Coordinates of all heavy atoms in Angstrom, one line a residue:
A1 N 0.8 -1.2 0.0 CA 0.0 0.0 0.0 C 0.9 1.3 0.0 O 0.6 2.2 -0.7 CB -0.9 0.0 1.2
E2 N 1.9 1.2 0.8 CA 2.9 2.4 0.8 C 3.5 2.5 -0.5 O 3.7 3.7 -1.0 CB 3.9 2.2 1.9 CG 3.3 2.3 3.3 CD 4.4 2.0 4.4 OE1 5.6 1.9 4.1 OE2 3.9 1.9 5.5
E3 N 3.9 1.4 -1.1 CA 4.6 1.5 -2.5 C 3.6 2.0 -3.5 O 4.0 2.8 -4.3 CB 5.0 0.0 -2.8 CG 5.8 -0.1 -4.1 CD 6.2 -1.5 -4.4 OE1 6.6 -2.2 -3.5 OE2 6.1 -1.9 -5.6
R4 N 2.3 1.6 -3.5 CA 1.3 2.1 -4.4 C 1.1 3.6 -4.2 O 1.0 4.3 -5.2 CB 0.0 1.3 -4.2 CG -0.1 0.0 -4.9 CD -1.5 -0.5 -5.0 NE -2.2 -0.6 -3.8 CZ -2.2 -1.6 -2.9 NH1 -1.5 -2.7 -3.2 NH2 -2.8 -1.6 -1.8
Q5 N 1.1 4.0 -3.0 CA 0.9 5.5 -2.7 C 2.1 6.3 -3.3 O 2.0 7.3 -3.9 CB 0.8 5.7 -1.2 CG 0.5 7.2 -0.9 CD -0.8 7.7 -1.5 OE1 -1.8 7.0 -1.5 NE2 -0.8 8.8 -2.2
A6 N 3.3 5.7 -3.1 CA 4.5 6.4 -3.6 C 4.5 6.5 -5.1 O 4.8 7.5 -5.7 CB 5.8 5.7 -3.1
L7 N 4.1 5.4 -5.7 CA 4.0 5.4 -7.2 C 2.9 6.4 -7.7 O 3.1 7.1 -8.7 CB 3.7 4.0 -7.7 CG 4.9 3.0 -7.6 CD1 4.4 1.6 -7.9 CD2 6.0 3.4 -8.5
A8 N 1.8 6.5 -7.0 CA 0.7 7.4 -7.3 C 1.2 8.8 -7.2 O 0.9 9.7 -8.0 CB -0.5 7.1 -6.5
D9 N 1.9 9.1 -6.1 CA 2.5 10.4 -5.9 C 3.5 10.8 -7.0 O 3.5 12.0 -7.5 CB 3.2 10.5 -4.5 CG 2.2 10.5 -3.4 OD1 1.0 10.6 -3.6 OD2 2.7 10.2 -2.2
A10 N 4.3 9.9 -7.5 CA 5.2 10.1 -8.6 C 4.4 10.4 -9.8 O 4.8 11.3 -10.6 CB 6.1 8.9 -8.7
A11 N 3.3 9.7 -10.1 CA 2.5 9.9 -11.3 C 1.9 11.3 -11.3 O 1.9 12.0 -12.3 CB 1.4 8.8 -11.4
K12 N 1.5 11.8 -10.1 CA 1.0 13.1 -10.0 C 2.1 14.2 -10.2 O 1.9 15.2 -10.9 CB 0.5 13.4 -8.6 CG -0.8 12.6 -8.3 CD -1.3 12.8 -6.9 CE -2.5 11.9 -6.6 NZ -2.9 11.9 -5.2
L13 N 3.3 13.9 -9.8 CA 4.5 14.8 -10.1 C 4.7 14.9 -11.6 O 4.9 15.9 -12.2 CB 5.7 14.4 -9.4 CG 5.8 14.7 -7.9 CD1 7.1 14.1 -7.3 CD2 5.8 16.2 -7.7
Y14 N 4.7 13.7 -12.3 CA 4.9 13.7 -13.7 C 3.8 14.5 -14.4 O 4.1 15.2 -15.4 CB 5.0 12.3 -14.3 CG 6.3 11.6 -13.9 CD1 6.3 10.3 -13.3 CD2 7.5 12.1 -14.3 CE1 7.4 9.7 -13.0 CE2 8.7 11.4 -14.0 CZ 8.6 10.2 -13.4 OH 9.8 9.6 -13.1
A15 N 2.6 14.3 -14.0 CA 1.5 15.1 -14.6 C 1.6 16.6 -14.4 O 1.4 17.4 -15.3 CB 0.1 14.6 -14.0
A16 N 2.1 17.0 -13.2 CA 2.3 18.4 -12.9 C 3.4 19.0 -13.8 O 3.3 20.1 -14.3 CB 2.7 18.6 -11.4
A17 N 4.5 18.2 -14.0 CA 5.6 18.6 -14.8 C 5.1 18.8 -16.3 O 5.5 19.7 -17.0 CB 6.7 17.6 -14.8
D18 N 4.2 17.8 -16.7 CA 3.7 17.9 -18.1 C 2.8 19.2 -18.2 O 2.9 19.9 -19.2 CB 2.8 16.7 -18.4 CG 3.6 15.4 -18.5 OD1 4.8 15.5 -18.7 OD2 2.9 14.3 -18.5
Q19 N 2.1 19.6 -17.2 CA 1.3 20.8 -17.2 C 2.1 22.0 -17.3 O 1.8 23.0 -17.9 CB 0.4 20.9 -16.0 CG -0.8 19.9 -15.9 CD -1.5 20.0 -14.6 OE1 -1.1 20.6 -13.7 NE2 -2.6 19.3 -14.6
L20 N 3.3 22.0 -16.7 CA 4.3 23.1 -16.8 C 5.0 23.2 -18.1 O 5.7 24.2 -18.4 CB 5.3 23.0 -15.7 CG 4.8 23.3 -14.2 CD1 5.9 22.9 -13.2 CD2 4.5 24.8 -14.1
G21 N 4.9 22.1 -18.9 CA 5.6 22.1 -20.2 C 7.0 21.7 -20.1 O 7.8 22.0 -21.0
L22 N 7.4 21.0 -19.0 CA 8.7 20.5 -18.9 C 8.8 19.2 -19.7 O 7.9 18.4 -19.7 CB 9.1 20.2 -17.4 CG 9.0 21.4 -16.5 CD1 9.3 21.0 -15.0 CD2 10.0 22.5 -16.9
G23 N 10.0 19.1 -20.3 CA 10.2 17.8 -21.1 C 10.2 16.6 -20.2 O 10.8 16.7 -19.2
E24 N 9.7 15.5 -20.7 CA 9.6 14.3 -19.9 C 11.0 13.6 -19.9 O 11.3 12.8 -19.1 CB 8.5 13.4 -20.3 CG 8.7 12.8 -21.7 CD 7.5 11.9 -22.1 OE1 6.4 12.3 -21.8 OE2 7.7 10.9 -22.7
T25 N 11.8 13.9 -20.9 CA 13.1 13.2 -21.1 C 14.3 14.1 -20.8 O 14.3 15.2 -21.3 CB 13.2 12.6 -22.5 OG1 12.0 11.8 -22.8 CG2 14.4 11.8 -22.7
E26 N 15.2 13.5 -20.0 CA 16.4 14.2 -19.8 C 17.5 13.6 -20.7 O 17.7 12.4 -20.7 CB 16.9 14.0 -18.3 CG 18.2 14.7 -18.1 CD 18.7 14.5 -16.6 OE1 18.8 13.3 -16.2 OE2 19.0 15.4 -16.0
Y27 N 18.1 14.4 -21.6 CA 19.1 13.9 -22.5 C 20.5 14.1 -21.8 O 20.8 15.3 -21.5 CB 19.0 14.6 -23.8 CG 17.7 14.5 -24.5 CD1 16.6 15.4 -24.2 CD2 17.4 13.4 -25.3 CE1 15.4 15.2 -24.8 CE2 16.1 13.2 -25.8 CZ 15.1 14.1 -25.6 OH 13.9 14.0 -26.1
R28 N 21.3 13.1 -21.6 CA 22.5 13.2 -20.8 C 23.7 12.6 -21.5 O 23.6 11.7 -22.2 CB 22.3 12.4 -19.5 CG 21.1 12.4 -18.8 CD 20.9 11.4 -17.7 NE 22.0 11.2 -16.8 CZ 22.0 11.0 -15.5 NH1 20.8 11.1 -14.9 NH2 23.0 10.8 -14.8
L29 N 24.8 13.2 -21.2 CA 26.1 12.7 -21.5 C 26.8 12.4 -20.2 O 27.0 13.3 -19.3 CB 26.9 13.7 -22.3 CG 28.3 13.3 -22.7 CD1 28.2 12.0 -23.6 CD2 29.1 14.4 -23.4
N30 N 27.0 11.1 -19.9 CA 27.5 10.7 -18.6 C 29.1 10.5 -18.6 O 29.7 10.5 -19.7 CB 26.9 9.4 -18.2 CG 25.4 9.6 -17.9 OD1 24.9 10.6 -17.6 ND2 24.6 8.5 -18.0
W31 N 29.6 10.4 -17.5 CA 31.1 10.4 -17.3 C 31.8 9.2 -17.9 O 32.9 9.4 -18.4 CB 31.4 10.4 -15.8 CG 31.3 11.7 -15.1 CD1 30.2 12.2 -14.4 CD2 32.2 12.8 -15.2 NE1 30.4 13.4 -14.0 CE2 31.6 13.9 -14.5 CE3 33.4 13.0 -15.9 CZ2 32.3 15.1 -14.4 CZ3 34.0 14.3 -15.7 CH2 33.5 15.3 -15.0
I32 N 31.2 8.0 -17.9 CA 31.9 6.8 -18.3 C 31.4 6.5 -19.7 O 30.3 5.9 -19.9 CB 31.7 5.7 -17.4 CG1 32.1 6.1 -15.9 CG2 32.5 4.4 -17.8 CD1 31.7 5.1 -14.9
P33 N 32.2 6.7 -20.8 CA 31.7 6.6 -22.2 C 31.8 5.1 -22.7 O 32.3 4.9 -23.7 CB 32.6 7.5 -23.0 CG 33.9 7.4 -22.2 CD 33.5 7.3 -20.8
L34 N 31.2 4.2 -21.9 CA 31.3 2.8 -22.3 C 29.9 2.2 -22.6 O 29.7 1.0 -22.3 CB 32.0 2.0 -21.2 CG 33.4 2.4 -21.0 CD1 34.0 1.6 -19.8 CD2 34.3 2.1 -22.2
G35 N 29.0 2.9 -23.1 CA 27.6 2.4 -23.3 C 26.6 3.5 -23.3 O 26.9 4.7 -23.5
G36 N 25.4 3.1 -23.0 CA 24.3 4.1 -22.9 C 23.0 3.3 -22.5 O 23.0 2.1 -22.4
Y37 N 22.0 4.1 -22.3 CA 20.7 3.5 -21.9 C 19.5 4.5 -22.2 O 19.7 5.7 -22.3 CB 20.7 3.1 -20.4 CG 20.9 4.2 -19.5 CD1 19.9 4.9 -18.9 CD2 22.2 4.5 -19.1 CE1 20.1 5.9 -18.0 CE2 22.4 5.6 -18.2 CZ 21.4 6.2 -17.6 OH 21.6 7.3 -16.8
V38 N 18.4 3.9 -22.2 CA 17.1 4.7 -22.2 C 16.4 4.2 -21.0 O 16.1 3.0 -20.8 CB 16.3 4.4 -23.5 CG1 14.9 5.1 -23.4 CG2 17.0 4.9 -24.7
K39 N 16.1 5.1 -20.1 CA 15.4 4.7 -18.8 C 13.9 5.0 -19.1 O 13.5 6.2 -19.4 CB 15.9 5.6 -17.7 CG 15.2 5.2 -16.4 CD 15.9 6.0 -15.2 CE 15.2 5.7 -13.9 NZ 15.8 6.6 -12.9
M40 N 13.1 4.0 -19.0 CA 11.6 4.1 -19.2 C 10.9 4.0 -17.9 O 11.3 3.2 -17.0 CB 11.1 3.0 -20.2 CG 11.7 3.2 -21.6 SD 11.2 1.8 -22.6 CE 12.8 1.1 -22.9
L41 N 9.9 4.8 -17.7 CA 9.1 4.7 -16.5 C 8.5 3.3 -16.3 O 7.9 2.8 -17.3 CB 8.0 5.8 -16.5 CG 7.1 5.9 -15.3 CD1 7.9 6.3 -14.1 CD2 5.9 6.8 -15.6
G42 N 8.7 2.7 -15.2 CA 8.1 1.4 -14.9 C 9.0 0.3 -15.3 O 8.7 -0.9 -14.9
Q43 N 10.1 0.5 -15.9 CA 11.1 -0.5 -16.2 C 12.1 -0.6 -15.1 O 13.0 0.2 -15.0 CB 11.8 -0.3 -17.5 CG 12.8 -1.4 -17.9 CD 13.6 -1.1 -19.2 OE1 13.6 0.1 -19.6 NE2 14.2 -2.1 -19.7
E44 N 11.9 -1.5 -14.2 CA 12.8 -1.7 -13.0 C 13.5 -3.0 -13.2 O 12.9 -4.1 -13.0 CB 11.9 -1.7 -11.7 CG 11.2 -0.4 -11.5 CD 12.0 0.8 -11.3 OE1 13.2 0.6 -10.9 OE2 11.6 1.9 -11.7
D45 N 14.8 -3.0 -13.6 CA 15.6 -4.2 -13.8 C 15.8 -4.9 -12.5 O 15.9 -6.1 -12.5 CB 16.9 -3.8 -14.4 CG 16.7 -3.3 -15.8 OD1 15.7 -3.5 -16.5 OD2 17.6 -2.5 -16.3
M46 N 15.8 -4.2 -11.4 CA 16.1 -4.9 -10.1 C 14.8 -5.5 -9.5 O 14.9 -6.4 -8.7 CB 16.6 -3.9 -9.1 CG 18.0 -3.3 -9.5 SD 19.2 -4.5 -9.9 CE 19.7 -5.1 -8.3
D47 N 13.6 -5.1 -10.0 CA 12.3 -5.6 -9.5 C 11.4 -5.8 -10.7 O 10.6 -4.9 -11.1 CB 11.7 -4.7 -8.5 CG 10.4 -5.3 -7.9 OD1 10.1 -6.4 -8.3 OD2 9.8 -4.6 -7.2

């Protein structure tokens, strides 16, 4: 239940950011140039 509430709160934050016109994707150049990734909401490799 706590986990569901935290996820629901995060969804509300994403919706608020969308209303503000903030881009949903952060484009990054990271320190270690040995690969890359696309992080998608809900894709949890550890769970």
Side-chain angles (χ1 to χ4, degrees):
E2 290 174 11
E3 183 179 320
R4 279 195 305 273
Q5 185 60 46
L7 290 170
D9 291 345
K12 289 176 187 173
L13 280 176
Y14 286 124
D18 291 345
Q19 289 174 352
L20 285 170
L22 299 178
E24 68 183 38
T25 305
E26 177 182 57
Y27 302 92
R28 318 167 43 137
L29 181 61
N30 293 337
W31 282 101
I32 306 169
L34 298 175
Y37 60 91
V38 175
K39 184 177 178 184
M40 295 176 245
L41 182 65
Q43 181 184 16
E44 300 295 333
D45 295 336
M46 300 306 285
D47 183 6

